[in-house]
């Protein structure tokens, strides 16, 4: 059953890893499958996103606009998630993701995710843990980077 | 009603009963008093029949006449029957009447409470929870109604009976009379006391049982760890101890409960004991006759029943009295707004002219915290006044006070010399428009919500009124002190705006939608709305025309073609429900729902004939299993049931039981009703949407075959019920969009919605169909508190509502916040342009916007920090704090997290940006973050601006 497979995929995503499978199944059920053809954009830099996508099949290019034009900075493949920040808060997409060949993706909408969080606070707590851990990690990086700079300046 | 609302509520239930129902109470009492002797007769007559007509030494005379025995028997039996009928009939009348009285009083009480609630100051709603208020108005008043019905009659009648009997006994012998009531004081004192203890214990028991439940669920959740740690002995001991607690509480309850019973019985029997002993002694002494003693003993039997009733009433009355007082106190907060707020003179008009003056205005919240402090401000009207300041600066409180929604603690707000506090809402609510952040959207259609600002009073009586019923409702309303305004009347005050013709009204509604940038949203809702039957032939023709154009374009563009799955006689449509696939159409009727399909024997026949029933049943079972699992933990009112479930929340327990009972291989053994409930489920299945993987190619082929069979054998009587998909006709149950594309948009194709949406939009523009579709969209249901609309649309709806109302003065809290960043400035400009020449007061988040306002008030910690023209004010407040605050840095850090994990902008670059931001933003420190929201908004804004302009956030190092 493809629903079951979606649940497995969701469990592989760090943000969702600790959420009960039963709740993930509900999230999977309220999400949808989307097919992208070669060259179609999964998300566009600067646009407000309302969904995250998990690639079920195929690969996609992550590109940003620089003065030299579009530059591919990474490739995402099966079981990777793109744009998950969009389901947590309103920020514009920071990069464009374009299908490289045919891509099947699971689209998790902001609404669907919020419903889940509203209904099951323990889900929110798990997500919060994950985010806080990330924030901590980022802060560490920042401190190191700032310290490095200060050192190089003096 | 006007004076009704002016009254405050009675402080005790007796006062309430006396004030509003004393006449009715007397009537009940009177009727009950008539009942008494009748009852007596029905008790007395059988005795007479036995004694006089049948008895051994019977003397067949009655009421002074002599009869032969048989005739006397007939006569007495006839009298008995008549007495029974009359007393039964009278009882019926008394009961119904008492019921009506209690229901009227209940209605009055609820209405009064509701009216008081409407007079609550807004702060009161923060003090009391919504659930509490609902509970009080609805549930807690319920027992009060029952009490009202017997408030007078029970003490009157039972007390009367008791008293008469006692008098009788006293007349026979005062000593025995004393004996009869000797224990009453003790009973009055002791029994309620004991009863209260029992009630206490009952509460304790409930608590304990709840604790047990917690323990059990803890065991369930922790089963793994209990076993792993060999904790079963300990858990068992703990459970045993808790069950013991319940046992001992129950034990106490039993002891007390039966002690009450014992005491009651004992006291009832104690009377006879005294009669026989004391009375016997007196008889032997010769002070009273034996006959008198016997009469006293039998009379005493008659007083125990009314005495018990009185005791019960006394106990109940105590509870009711307390309950009433509790409820009423909750609805009479000290700062309740004057009744004239609701019912003041509506014919007055407030002119928004000369000046708006705020003098010595202070506002405190319920905890005494100062929200606004000593604000003085004056502007000439009309004008544009911007109020700025960080969150928590008091700017929202200030504009709420300007709108008359907050009551100043001291000081006042006047417009043209009129104190807002003195004006009724009928004047204020029409002259002033208010758009808040998070506006409330009422359940119903979009149109209802749009015109809510015009619905102040009925403007025309309801059409097709049933005079009889209407008059009855009206007089009942009056008798219960409710308002007599008719909710079914026409409330749309368009005339007041000078819009008398339907076409003008329509145009104005469209204009308001346009200004709020809501037209496109409503248009999209219209596309999703059902076509229905009530279409003019012209509209039908135009939709069909659109359908032909779509077909043309699709034929030209194969890429588009892929995005639509059109209806085809010979193919299964993966984007339609199985029901639609089977019928190749829909059922006509307002409530067509796949659920009802199994109600048609012919459908079941077709399934059986084509052998589909067994397969569909096992598909149904699998769906049921999945639904039961998915929706197990969702509360019954969750929106997901409507959106996603195959099973209504109410039916879930049934299917849960069915799933555990049914054996997959042997579904034909199930009861027929169960089979049909299973068959119902697959009908809603849309393969591409639900992804349950249950529809095999083979099954689909069978459905298509069954489709032909279904049509071929369709009986005469059903021909009109089925609305087949037909390229040359509209399908009533389908949406406008589905009718135009004659098929379904393929789910799961990237961008299909947008591209097909664009295609349809182009064609609709060509055919000038848009207004027509918007009108269908206006009838879309918004759901409870507008839940079916996204936040941005709710906000736009509130904006359109305010525009349509055309107030002289518009007060706006951060009304554009929830809108898309790109749409915000346009909506703002539209509002300002629309209100050109009228007064606008706006609490702004974006300081730059204040440039367009004549006056700017800067709020800070509840005080007016600066006031004047934009440049003047900015010069005063700009300065050292212009640098972005710590939050901006956090914002960037967020972006980093985002990039790091997902959207995958180059990590190095993002880190660089973030660290740079952190450097320049650090001085403010994150401690200020709470207060400096405006700074953040500005920073975020400029960030957004830079992004749009394609400028990198930080200069290259």
């Amino acid at each position: 059953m493809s629903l079951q497979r979606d649940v497995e995929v969701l469990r592989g995503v760090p943000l969702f890893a600790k959420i009960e499978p039963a709740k993930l199944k509900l999230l999977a059920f309220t999400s949808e499958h989307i097919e992208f053809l070669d060259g179609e954009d999964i998300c566009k830099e600067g646009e407000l996103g309302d969904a995250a996508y998990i690639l079920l099949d195929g690969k996609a290019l992550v590109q940003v606009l620089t003065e030299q034009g579009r530059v591919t900075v990474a490739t995402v493949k099966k079981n990777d998630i793109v744009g998950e920040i969009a389901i947590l808060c309103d920020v514009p997409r920071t990069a464009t993701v374009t299908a490289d060949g045919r891509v099947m993706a699971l689209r998790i909408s902001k609404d669907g995710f919020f419903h889940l969080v509203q209904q099951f606070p323990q889900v929110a707590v798990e997500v919060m843990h994950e985010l806080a851990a990330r924030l901590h990690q980022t802060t560490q990086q920042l401190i190191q980077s700032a310290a490095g700079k200060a050192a190089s300046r003096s | 009603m006007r004076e009704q609302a002016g009254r405050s509520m009675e402080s005790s239930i007796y006062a309430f009963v006396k004030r509003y129902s004393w006449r009715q109470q007397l009537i009940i009492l009177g009727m009950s008093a008539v009942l008494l002797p009748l009852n007596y007769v029905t008790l007395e007559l059988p005795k007479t029949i036995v004694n006089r007509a049948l008895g051994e030494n019977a003397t067949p005379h009655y009421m002074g006449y002599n009869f032969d025995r048989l005739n006397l028997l007939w006569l007495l039996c006839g009298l008995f029957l008549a007495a029974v009928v009359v007393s039964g009939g009278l009882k019926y009348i008394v009961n119904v009447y008492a019921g009506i009285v209690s229901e009227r009083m209940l209605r009055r009480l609820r209405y009064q409470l509701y009216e008081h609630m409407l007079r609550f100051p807004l702060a009161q709603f923060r003090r009391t929870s919504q659930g509490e208020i609902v509970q009080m108005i609805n549930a807690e008043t319920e027992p009060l109604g029952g009490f009202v019905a017997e408030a007078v009659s029970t003490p009157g009648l039972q007390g009367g009976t008791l008293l008469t009997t006692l008098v009788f006994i006293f007349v026979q012998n005062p000593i025995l009379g004393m004996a009869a009531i000797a224990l009453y004081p003790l009973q009055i004192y002791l029994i309620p006391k004991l009863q209260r203890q029992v009630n206490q214990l009952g509460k304790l028991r409930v608590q304990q049982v709840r604790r047990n439940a917690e323990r059990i669920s803890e065991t369930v959740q922790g089963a793994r760890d209990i076993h792993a740690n060999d904790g079963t002995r300990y858990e068992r001991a703990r459970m045993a101890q808790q069950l013991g607690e319940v046992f001992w509480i129950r034990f106490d309850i039993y002891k007390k409960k039966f002690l009450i019973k014992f005491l009651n019985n004992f006291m009832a029997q104690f009377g006879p004991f005294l009669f026989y002993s004391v009375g016997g002694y007196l008889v032997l002494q010769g002070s009273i006759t034996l006959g008198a003693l016997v009469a006293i003993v039998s009379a005493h039997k008659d007083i125990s029943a009314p005495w018990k009733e009185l005791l019960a009433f006394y106990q109940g009355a105590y509870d009711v009295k307390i309950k009433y007082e509790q409820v009423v106190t909750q609805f009479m907060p000290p700062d309740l707004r004057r009744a004239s707020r609701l019912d003041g003179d509506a014919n007055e008009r407030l002119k928004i002219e000369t000046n708006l003056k705020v003098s010595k205005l202070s506002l405190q919240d319920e905890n005494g915290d100062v929200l606004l402090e000593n604000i003085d401000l004056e502007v000439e009207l009309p004008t544009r006044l911007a109020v700025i300041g960080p969150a928590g600066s008091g700017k929202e409180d200030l504009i709420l006070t300007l709108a008359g929604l907050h009551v100043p603690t001291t000081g006042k707000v006047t417009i043209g010399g009129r104190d807002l506090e003195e004006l009724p809402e009928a004047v204020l609510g029409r002259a002033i428009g208010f758009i808040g952040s998070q506006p409330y959207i009422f359940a119903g259609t979009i149109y209802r919500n749009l015109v809510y600002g015009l619905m102040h009073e009925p403007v025309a009586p309801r059409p097709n009124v049933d005079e009889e019923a209407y008059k009855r409702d009206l007089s009942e309303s009056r008798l219960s002190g409710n308002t007599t305004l008719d909710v079914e009347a026409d409330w749309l005050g368009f005339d007041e705006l000078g819009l008398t013709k339907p076409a003008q009204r329509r145009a104005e509604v469209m204009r308001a939608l346009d200004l709020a940038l809501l037209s496109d949203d409503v248009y999209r809702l219209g596309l999703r709305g059902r076509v229905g039957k009530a279409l003019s032939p012209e509209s039908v023709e135009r939709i069909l025309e659109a359908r032909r154009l779509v077909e043309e374009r699709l034929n030209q563009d194969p890429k588009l073609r892929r995005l639509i799955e059109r209806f085809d006689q010979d193919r299964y449509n993966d984007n339609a429900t199985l029901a639609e696939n089977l019928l190749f159409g829909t059922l006509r009727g307002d409530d067509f729902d796949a659920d009802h399909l199994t109600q048609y024997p012919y459908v079941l026949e077709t399934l059986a004939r084509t052998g589909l029933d067994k397969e569909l049943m096992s598909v149904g079972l699998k769906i049921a299993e999945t639904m039961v699992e998915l929706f197990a933990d969702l509360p019954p009112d969750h929106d997901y049931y409507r959106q996603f479930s195959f099973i209504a929340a109410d039916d879930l327990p049934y299917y849960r039981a069915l799933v555990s009972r049914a054996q997959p291989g042997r579904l034909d053994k199930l009861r027929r009703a169960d089979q049909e409930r299973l068959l119902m489920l697959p009908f809603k299945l849309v393969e591409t949407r639900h992804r349950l993987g249950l529809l095999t190619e083979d099954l689909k082929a069978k459905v298509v075959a069954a489709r032909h069979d279904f049509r071929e054998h369709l009986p005469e009587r059903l021909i009109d019920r089925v609305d087949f998909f037909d390229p040359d006709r509209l399908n009533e149950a389908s949406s406008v969009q589905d009718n135009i594309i004659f098929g379904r948009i393929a789910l799961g194709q990237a961008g299909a919605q947008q591209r097909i949406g664009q295609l349809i939009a182009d064609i609709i523009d060509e055919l000038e169909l848009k207004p027509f579709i918007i009108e269908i969209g206006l009838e879309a249901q918004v759901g409870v508190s507008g839940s079916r609309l996204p936040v941005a649309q709710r906000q736009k709806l509130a904006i359109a509502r305010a525009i349509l109302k055309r107030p002289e003065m518009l007060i706006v809290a951060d009304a554009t916040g929830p809108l898309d960043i790109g749409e915000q400035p346009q909506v703002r400009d539209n509002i300002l342009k629309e209100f050109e020449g009228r007064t606008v007061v706006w609490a702004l988040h974006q300081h730059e916007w204040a440039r367009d306002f004549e006056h700017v008030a800067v709020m800070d910690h509840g005080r007016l920090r600066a006031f004047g023209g934009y440049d003047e004010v900015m010069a005063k407040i700009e300065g050292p704090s212009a640098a972005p605050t710590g939050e901006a840095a956090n914002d960037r850090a967020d972006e980093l997290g985002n990039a790091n994990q997902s959207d995958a902008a180059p990590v190095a670059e993002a880190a660089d940006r973030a660290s740079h931001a952190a450097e320049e933003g650090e001085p403010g420190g994150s401690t200020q973050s709470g207060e400096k929201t405006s700074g953040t908004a500005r920073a975020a804004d400029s960030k957004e601006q830079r992004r749009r302009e394609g400028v990198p956030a930080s200069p290259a190092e």
Side-chain angles (χ1 to χ4, degrees):
Chain A
M1 211 156 56
S2 64
L3 196 58
Q4 202 53 51
R5 206 191 61 186
D6 292 349
V7 174
E8 294 306 320
V9 172
L10 283 173
R11 289 191 79 174
V13 175
L15 189 61
F16 305 129
K18 293 200 193 81
I19 301 174
E20 278 178 70
K23 308 286 176 286
L24 284 185
K25 199 164 185 179
L26 190 60
L27 183 63
F29 187 63
T30 55
S31 303
E32 50 182 332
H33 277 191
I34 301 258
E35 180 184 9
F36 294 91
L37 297 184
D38 186 28
E40 282 183 331
D41 289 337
I42 298 172
C43 45
K44 277 196 190 116
E45 187 175 351
E47 274 187 1
L48 271 184
D50 61 347
Y53 297 87
I54 300 175
L55 268 59
L56 300 172
D57 205 9
K59 58 186 168 63
L61 305 174
V62 181
Q63 300 174 316
V64 289
L65 208 58
T66 65
E67 279 150 22
Q68 286 83 42
R70 268 181 147 189
V71 175
T72 301
V73 292
T75 312
V76 281
K77 50 184 197 317
K78 196 173 163 183
N79 293 355
D80 285 346
I81 184 167
V82 291
E84 88 245 51
I85 288 299
I87 59 175
L88 296 167
C89 65
D90 293 312
V91 289
R93 304 277 196 203
T94 50
T96 300
V97 182
T98 310
D100 184 17
R102 180 182 163 277
V103 166
M104 279 302 283
L106 183 68
R107 179 181 187 275
I108 298 166
S109 72
K110 190 171 165 176
D111 284 350
F113 181 69
F114 269 0
H115 265 295
L116 190 74
V117 170
Q118 270 169 359
Q119 204 54 56
F120 306 108
Q122 71 270 32
V123 172
V125 173
E126 292 301 345
V127 171
M128 214 158 68
H129 274 288
E130 173 66 23
L131 290 178
R134 251 185 232 186
L135 182 63
H136 176 71
Q137 197 188 342
T138 317
T139 316
Q140 291 299 324
Q141 284 173 359
L142 271 175
I143 291 171
Q144 278 164 18
S145 136
K149 259 182 217 165
S152 67
R153 254 177 230 166
S154 60
Chain B
M1 298 133 294
R2 189 150 296 160
E3 40 133 24
Q4 193 78 91
R7 294 170 178 170
S8 65
M9 302 193 64
E10 272 60 35
S11 58
S12 91
I13 182 133
Y14 293 109
F16 182 74
V17 168
K18 191 178 135 218
R19 176 165 199 171
Y20 296 111
S21 71
W22 65 271
R23 249 185 237 119
Q24 288 91 323
Q25 297 291 355
L26 284 186
I27 295 175
I28 298 176
L29 190 63
M31 289 200 287
S32 309
V34 176
L35 258 173
L36 270 185
L38 269 173
N39 269 344
Y40 178 78
V41 169
T42 55
L43 293 175
E44 190 62 29
L45 272 172
K47 205 171 82 195
T48 318
I49 293 174
V50 173
N51 285 345
R52 306 246 169 107
L54 304 176
E56 285 286 307
N57 313 316
T59 43
H61 66 87
Y62 187 63
M63 307 282 273
Y65 295 94
N66 284 321
F67 298 93
D68 78 56
R69 286 172 72 159
L70 195 59
N71 279 345
L72 182 62
L73 179 68
W74 291 139
L75 174 74
L76 290 177
C77 286
L79 279 176
F80 178 71
L81 187 64
V84 166
V85 168
V86 171
S87 97
L90 206 57
K91 237 181 234 168
Y92 170 79
I93 295 173
V94 174
N95 282 339
V96 170
Y97 187 76
I100 291 174
V101 170
S102 86
E103 212 45 47
R104 273 186 197 146
M105 291 294 275
L106 202 54
R107 182 175 173 183
R108 179 189 295 270
L109 179 62
R110 286 190 175 135
Y111 183 79
Q112 282 190 359
L113 292 175
Y114 183 79
E115 208 167 49
H116 271 67
M117 187 185 80
L118 286 176
R119 283 166 55 197
F120 280 180
L122 293 184
Q124 178 71 12
F125 292 107
R126 283 202 298 267
R127 279 175 291 204
T128 358
S129 82
Q130 177 188 341
E132 250 178 306
I133 295 180
V134 173
Q135 188 70 11
M136 280 191 282
I137 296 185
N138 268 343
E140 291 187 19
T141 48
E142 192 65 45
L144 305 186
F147 173 77
V148 168
E150 52 178 51
V152 173
S153 63
T154 301
L157 284 178
Q158 306 296 354
T161 318
L162 185 68
L163 218 61
T164 332
T165 322
L166 281 178
V167 166
F168 171 75
I169 296 177
F170 267 89
V171 168
Q172 303 301 316
N173 187 302
I175 300 173
L176 287 182
M178 289 307 288
I181 57 166
L183 289 179
Y184 280 12
L186 190 65
Q187 225 170 339
I188 292 176
Y189 173 74
L190 212 55
I191 304 291
K193 229 176 176 176
L194 280 169
Q195 189 62 48
R196 235 164 278 160
Q197 286 180 11
V198 171
N199 293 349
Q200 279 293 333
L201 284 169
K203 269 183 209 153
L204 215 61
R205 191 185 70 84
V206 171
Q207 281 169 10
Q208 188 57 41
V209 167
R210 209 171 289 151
R211 264 196 289 271
N212 282 6
E214 278 165 28
R215 173 112 329 260
I216 294 169
S217 53
E218 198 180 57
T219 308
V220 170
Q221 284 168 9
R224 198 179 58 189
D225 297 72
I226 290 173
H227 291 301
N229 293 303
D230 182 26
T232 54
R233 269 182 215 84
Y234 179 68
E235 294 300 332
R236 272 182 281 176
R238 198 142 63 152
M239 194 68 217
Q241 189 245 347
Q242 292 208 336
L243 289 173
E245 298 272 336
V246 177
F247 172 82
W248 290 117
I249 295 172
R250 265 282 162 84
F251 186 66
D252 270 1
I253 292 181
Y254 285 136
K255 279 196 295 195
K256 296 227 158 86
K257 200 161 102 182
F258 292 119
L259 180 62
I260 294 176
K261 206 160 194 182
F262 167 75
L263 283 177
N264 271 336
N265 284 338
F266 174 72
M267 289 176 196
Q269 294 304 318
F270 194 71
F273 161 74
L274 285 179
F275 296 150
Y276 288 124
S277 54
V278 179
Y281 174 76
L282 290 175
V283 170
L284 290 180
Q285 291 284 308
S287 342
I288 60 169
T289 64
L290 182 62
L293 181 61
V294 171
I296 289 172
V297 170
S298 71
H300 183 264
K301 276 222 174 87
D302 289 343
I303 61 175
S304 73
W307 174 240
K308 265 189 197 156
E309 292 252 347
L310 273 180
L311 266 186
F313 177 79
Y314 163 70
Q315 270 180 282
Y318 180 75
D319 290 344
V320 164
K321 182 170 169 279
I322 301 286
K323 179 130 284 175
Y324 179 88
E325 278 159 22
Q326 278 171 348
V327 170
V328 167
T329 344
Q330 288 290 321
F331 281 80
M332 299 220 286
D335 45 357
L336 192 69
R337 305 196 82 162
R338 273 195 313 275
S340 60
R341 278 286 292 191
L342 296 190
D343 289 310
D345 187 2
N347 293 320
E348 204 183 340
R349 285 283 168 271
L350 174 67
K351 295 249 161 53
I352 307 285
E353 55 188 23
T354 53
N355 62 1
L356 165 71
K357 199 170 159 195
V358 178
S359 25
K360 302 227 174 334
L361 172 69
S362 292
L363 184 70
Q364 292 178 1
D365 70 3
E366 60 272 23
N367 302 321
D369 290 337
V370 177
L371 301 175
L372 295 176
E373 204 176 346
N374 214 11
I375 292 175
D376 281 293
L377 192 133
E378 188 178 345
V379 286
E380 288 193 0
L381 298 178
T383 189
R384 281 180 186 170
L385 169 64
V387 184
I388 59 175
S393 63
K395 65 175 182 216
E396 297 247 344
D397 294 309
L398 178 61
I399 63 163
L400 279 166
T401 317
L402 294 186
L405 294 170
H406 271 340
V407 193
T409 311
T410 56
K412 60 181 179 178
V413 179
T414 58
I415 290 175
R418 303 286 308 269
D419 186 347
L420 293 194
E421 200 27 34
E422 317 262 297
L423 291 167
E425 278 179 14
V427 174
L428 263 186
R430 298 181 204 192
I432 297 181
F434 180 80
I435 311 175
S437 49
Q438 298 171 357
Y440 193 82
I441 301 301
F442 299 92
T445 64
I446 294 193
Y447 185 73
R448 263 293 115 170
N449 275 289
L450 266 180
V451 296
Y452 192 78
L454 304 178
M455 293 166 56
H456 307 300
E457 61 203 346
V459 291
R462 69 167 110 169
N464 315 323
V465 60
D466 172 0
E467 280 295 333
E468 277 302 284
Y470 177 62
K471 272 194 189 134
R472 213 179 62 166
D473 285 349
L474 208 62
S475 92
E476 228 6 269
S477 282
R478 259 192 221 110
L479 284 170
S480 312
N482 284 201
T483 182
T484 46
L485 299 178
D486 181 12
V487 72
E488 303 281 341
D490 179 9
W491 286 68
L492 301 181
F494 275 114
D495 289 355
E496 220 174 306
L497 305 177
L499 304 168
T500 45
K501 296 201 187 73
Q504 286 176 320
R505 295 178 179 186
R506 228 175 358 236
E508 183 64 13
V509 168
M510 295 290 171
R511 207 176 64 86
L513 289 178
D514 280 339
L515 290 174
L517 302 188
L518 191 59
S519 310
D520 285 344
D521 298 314
V522 179
Y523 158 78
R524 273 191 286 277
L525 287 170
L527 279 181
R528 272 185 268 149
R530 279 184 187 186
V531 165
K533 300 184 251 234
L535 282 188
S536 62
E538 190 208 343
S539 312
V540 172
E541 195 35 59
R542 283 162 88 184
I543 293 180
L544 287 175
E545 174 68 27
R547 183 186 287 182
R548 279 188 285 277
L549 281 173
V550 166
E551 178 149 29
E552 241 170 61
R553 309 271 153 99
L554 289 185
N555 287 338
Q556 289 159 7
D557 187 349
K559 262 196 180 163
L560 274 180
R561 175 118 236 171
R562 194 177 61 94
L563 303 181
I564 294 181
E565 188 172 8
R566 304 200 86 200
F567 293 124
D568 182 339
Q569 273 283 20
D570 301 311
R571 280 192 30 228
Y572 190 93
N573 190 321
D574 279 330
N575 291 291
T577 63
L578 194 140
E580 287 163 328
N581 268 296
L582 177 68
L583 266 57
F584 196 66
T586 54
L587 283 188
R588 281 205 179 89
D590 290 336
D591 55 349
F592 169 67
D593 189 338
D595 276 358
H596 304 307
L597 218 49
T598 45
Q599 286 170 4
Y600 295 89
Y602 176 68
V603 173
L604 294 178
E605 270 168 42
T606 309
L607 293 181
R609 202 166 49 230
T610 52
L612 261 178
D613 52 351
K614 290 209 182 62
E615 276 181 75
L616 287 186
M617 235 187 288
S618 51
V619 169
L621 182 63
K622 290 214 181 88
I623 293 175
E625 282 166 358
T626 310
M627 292 303 126
V628 166
E629 185 194 344
L630 282 178
F631 288 83
D633 291 340
L634 284 180
D637 54 350
H638 201 277
D639 206 40
Y640 272 7
Y641 284 101
R642 186 181 61 78
Q643 282 184 44
F644 294 105
S645 183
F646 285 69
I647 296 173
D650 296 341
D651 294 334
L652 206 61
Y654 167 82
Y655 279 103
R656 190 174 296 133
L658 183 54
V659 162
S660 60
R661 191 163 34 143
Q663 296 165 314
R666 310 176 56 187
L667 292 178
D668 45 344
K669 295 278 182 296
L670 285 175
R671 275 180 302 145
R672 205 170 158 71
D674 289 339
Q675 291 187 359
E676 282 177 23
R677 302 282 296 251
L678 281 183
L679 266 180
M680 231 148 118
L681 299 179
F683 282 132
K684 292 185 208 165
L685 194 62
V686 179
E687 182 57 12
T688 47
R689 176 169 171 207
H690 297 114
R691 316 193 310 277
L692 295 175
L694 295 173
L695 289 182
T696 57
E697 287 307 319
D698 175 52
L699 189 56
K700 288 186 205 167
K702 279 189 188 160
V703 171
V704 173
R707 170 193 295 176
H708 295 301
D709 187 278
F710 178 86
R711 190 158 195 174
E712 210 169 292
H713 298 96
L714 190 66
E716 196 83 22
R717 69 200 142 83
L718 285 180
I719 282 178
D720 283 343
R721 292 283 289 138
V722 188
D723 193 1
F724 288 108
F725 294 133
D726 182 338
D728 302 317
R729 295 214 356 252
L730 292 189
N731 182 285
E732 284 167 20
S734 297
S735 67
V736 177
Q737 173 169 298
D738 289 349
N739 265 301
I740 291 179
I741 62 178
F742 191 58
R744 293 287 145 86
I745 293 185
L747 290 161
Q749 295 295 330
Q753 290 286 351
Q754 291 90 317
R755 268 185 268 176
I756 297 305
Q758 191 55 49
L759 169 72
I760 296 174
D762 291 345
I763 289 169
I764 281 172
D765 274 349
E766 244 170 76
L767 299 175
E768 288 168 10
L769 266 174
K770 198 167 176 183
F772 158 75
I773 287 168
I774 289 180
E775 261 177 65
I776 296 180
L778 282 174
E779 293 306 315
Q781 295 285 334
V782 298
V784 177
S785 55
S787 60
R788 288 189 206 168
L789 300 182
V791 181
Q793 287 181 21
R794 278 181 242 166
Q795 191 71 49
K796 289 180 189 174
L797 188 48
I799 294 172
R801 173 163 79 194
I803 290 173
L804 192 63
K805 178 168 130 180
R806 288 199 207 160
E808 277 299 299
M809 173 158 115
L810 181 70
I811 294 186
V812 192
D814 175 39
T816 56
L819 303 190
D820 197 78
I821 298 170
E823 291 184 328
Q824 290 185 13
Q826 200 185 338
V827 171
R828 178 203 57 166
D829 291 347
N830 284 351
I831 294 176
L832 288 181
K833 188 143 178 276
E834 169 72 13
F835 282 85
E836 193 92 64
R838 287 185 268 173
T839 297
V840 177
V841 181
W842 199 317
L844 289 171
H845 265 323
Q846 297 91 331
H847 289 189
E848 309 88 86
W849 284 18
R851 218 182 280 276
D852 296 328
F853 288 71
E854 284 167 57
H855 301 281
V856 180
V858 184
M859 296 297 295
D860 189 24
H861 289 93
R863 273 186 292 255
L864 186 64
R865 188 167 151 208
F867 177 67
Y870 178 77
D871 295 327
E872 182 189 342
V873 162
M874 282 299 144
K876 237 187 244 179
I877 62 164
E878 287 286 328
S881 68
T885 60
E887 255 203 21
N890 287 346
D891 228 311
R892 303 280 162 78
D894 234 333
E895 208 181 298
L896 171 78
N898 177 10
N900 195 6
Q901 292 291 336
S902 59
D903 282 355
V907 173
E909 192 199 318
D912 206 48
R913 277 186 208 172
S915 68
H916 189 84
E919 271 170 39
E920 65 177 30
E922 212 46 61
S926 52
T927 45
Q928 285 188 5
S929 56
E931 293 164 12
K932 288 286 183 182
T933 317
S934 71
T936 314
R938 226 178 325 154
D941 225 26
S942 58
K943 189 179 77 188
E944 171 58 27
Q945 207 173 351
R946 267 180 297 200
R947 187 185 304 287
R948 251 185 274 140
E949 290 161 10
V951 182
S954 58
E957 296 256 334

